[in-house]
Every structure is written in C-alpha cells, then in structure tokens.
C-alpha cells in the first residue's frame, strides 16, 4: 500500500483514514493532515 500524498510505501500499522469508503494510509501525521485538508487533490475525482 502507498501513501497517496508522498508515494512512500506504508505498512498496516501506519495511520489511516477512510475516504469515500476507501482506506488510505499515511507514513506520517503530516501526510495524513495534508490529505484530510484536501483529499481530492490526492485521490482524483470520479467522473
Ligand atoms: Zn507520506
């Protein structure tokens, strides 16, 4: 699994959040924070 913010490989113990029924994991709190602030920037919009 990859951190959608910085692209690092992340483990199952990493911080995670659920967005649009998908789980995303982050290498660190600052990546998680950046994602929460503007998730569309990282996941892309479904059209
Ligand atoms: Zn990261």
């Amino acid at each position: 699994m990859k951190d959608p913010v910085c692209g690092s490989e992340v483990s199952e113990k990493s911080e995670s959040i659920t967005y649009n029924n998908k789980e995303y994991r982050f290498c660190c709190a600052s990546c998680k924070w950046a994602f929460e602030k503007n998730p569309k920037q990282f996941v892309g919009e479904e059209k």
Side-chain angles (χ1 to χ4, degrees), residues 4 14 16 25-28 38:
S14 301
S16 70
R25 292 185 187 274
F26 305 94
C27 66
C28 61
N38 193 4

Side-chain angles (χ1 to χ4, degrees), residues 1-6 17-26 31 34-47:
M1 208 161 188
K2 280 191 175 176
D3 182 326
V5 177
C6 68
I17 61 170
T18 302
Y19 176 74
N20 280 349
N21 297 317
K22 276 191 76 176
E23 190 177 38
Y24 296 92
R25 292 185 187 274
F26 305 94
C31 283
F35 185 92
E36 285 178 321
K37 200 177 164 200
N38 193 4
K40 287 180 182 173
Q41 182 181 333
F42 302 107
V43 300
E45 289 187 70
E46 303 266 337
K47 286 182 181 167

